Amino acid sequence: MDEVVELGRAQGERGEVLLRRRGPEQGGVEELVVNGAFAMDSTETHSERELGRLAGGAPHVLVGGLGLGYTVAAVLDEADRLDADVRVDVVELEPALVVWASEARTRTLARAASDPRVRLHVGDVAGVLDVDGRQTQGSPGPHGPWDAVLLDVDNGPDFLIHAANHALYAEAGLRASYARLAPGGLLAVWCQAPSPPLLAALRNLHPSAAETLLEVRREGRTFTYAIETVRRPPA
Ligand SMILES: C[S@@+](CC[C@H](N)C(=O)[O-])C[C@H]1O[C@@H](n2cnc3c(N)ncnc32)[C@H](O)[C@@H]1O
């Protein structure tokens, strides 16, 4: 039986946030639980990294939320690979997670907090994207437009971590996020399973909407995750 080490536990406004590691410090599995829902672990991070890779070295990227920091790391890796300048705004709802990142409680969280190209913001990405008109004038931001908006705040539209996040996947919310894209910009949404309604809603925004399926092996089972995307036409 693996040793379980608690790396952080906080009672947030919306429930408990728990960060823990199973197994040894090097090579163990980090796990994040938010509001009683398993948010992710580091057993297999291919799909979270693929979401970041899709930013494709774009200059200004918004990532919502931070999680364990794998998507952010992939945005940086892809910019490095392409020798591209990048600024990454990360919006995370749970203040504790941002503190734990600044305290380097895991290696990938430490990277997100210490890379000078990354700004960590505590907030609701739905507010930042103004998905339901909640943004007030003069809000602290961050502010777009962004060349890529990468959303992984739930386990997808069918398994929300917070009920209020549903606004992000509704037609009006998607339209608001799309409107925050710079010309040629990409909106990408991580989903724990293909989501035909989400894909259809994105297609209503622009025919470039597409679905990338990602097969992931976990604990002897194969899961098909999906990333739904839409790209704004260049100016
Ligand atoms: C599944 S994890 C993200 C995993 C991340 N892609 C990674 O690579 O580690 C979801 C994160 O989104 C955050 N979150 C949930 N709702 C949010 C919202 N409305 N705005 C910002 N962050 C949110 C959660 O607290 C959690 O940290």
Side-chain angles (χ1 to χ4, degrees):
M1 180 100 172
D2 281 339
E3 186 196 5
V4 178
V5 178
E6 199 169 285
L7 302 174
R9 183 190 286 268
Q11 193 57 46
E13 270 176 44
R14 300 158 216 84
E16 190 177 66
V17 190
L18 177 59
L19 177 65
R20 61 189 171 207
R21 188 183 61 238
R22 293 193 310 270
E25 191 168 349
Q26 302 297 325
V29 172
E30 296 145 12
E31 187 174 290
L32 178 65
V33 180
V34 179
N35 189 25
F38 170 83
M40 77 168 286
D41 71 19
S42 61
T43 307
E44 221 297 356
T45 58
H46 170 66
S47 63
E48 288 83 1
R49 286 182 287 115
E50 178 60 15
L51 179 66
R53 196 191 65 77
L54 288 178
H60 193 196
V61 179
L62 175 69
V63 177
L66 173 61
L68 292 175
Y70 285 89
T71 298
V72 176
V75 172
L76 298 174
D77 288 343
E78 189 63 2
D80 288 342
R81 192 181 73 79
L82 298 168
D83 200 16
D85 285 333
V86 67
R87 272 184 307 141
V88 191
D89 291 319
V90 183
V91 180
E92 168 55 49
L93 198 56
E94 298 299 339
L97 203 50
V98 173
V99 171
W100 298 339
S102 69
E103 293 172 350
R105 298 213 186 174
T106 74
R107 203 170 44 81
T108 43
L109 284 178
R111 182 173 177 201
S114 61
D115 192 300
R117 296 170 290 181
V118 179
R119 292 273 175 283
L120 297 182
H121 306 262
V122 174
D124 183 345
V125 76
V128 166
L129 291 166
D130 200 17
V131 301
D132 53 6
R134 267 182 282 167
Q135 197 182 60
T136 48
Q137 248 196 340
S139 90
H143 299 287
W146 291 277
D147 304 288
V149 171
L150 311 176
L151 296 180
D152 179 14
V153 292
D154 296 295
N155 291 318
D158 305 322
F159 182 0
L160 303 181
I161 290 182
H162 300 293
N165 283 346
H166 82 92
L168 283 163
Y169 312 105
E171 292 250 13
L174 294 168
R175 198 172 314 114
S177 299
Y178 183 78
R180 300 282 170 296
L181 292 174
L186 181 82
L187 170 63
V189 185
W190 188 98
C191 301
Q192 65 158 5
S195 175
L198 179 55
L199 182 59
L202 293 177
R203 211 160 259 149
N204 286 341
L205 294 172
H206 193 266
S208 64
E211 180 174 73
T212 303
L213 300 180
L214 300 156
E215 288 212 338
V216 171
R217 292 279 297 167
R218 287 179 61 94
E219 291 151 14
R221 292 176 61 199
T222 302
F223 296 87
T224 304
Y225 298 153
I227 299 177
E228 316 285 355
T229 58
V230 65
R231 190 175 288 282
R232 223 183 133 157

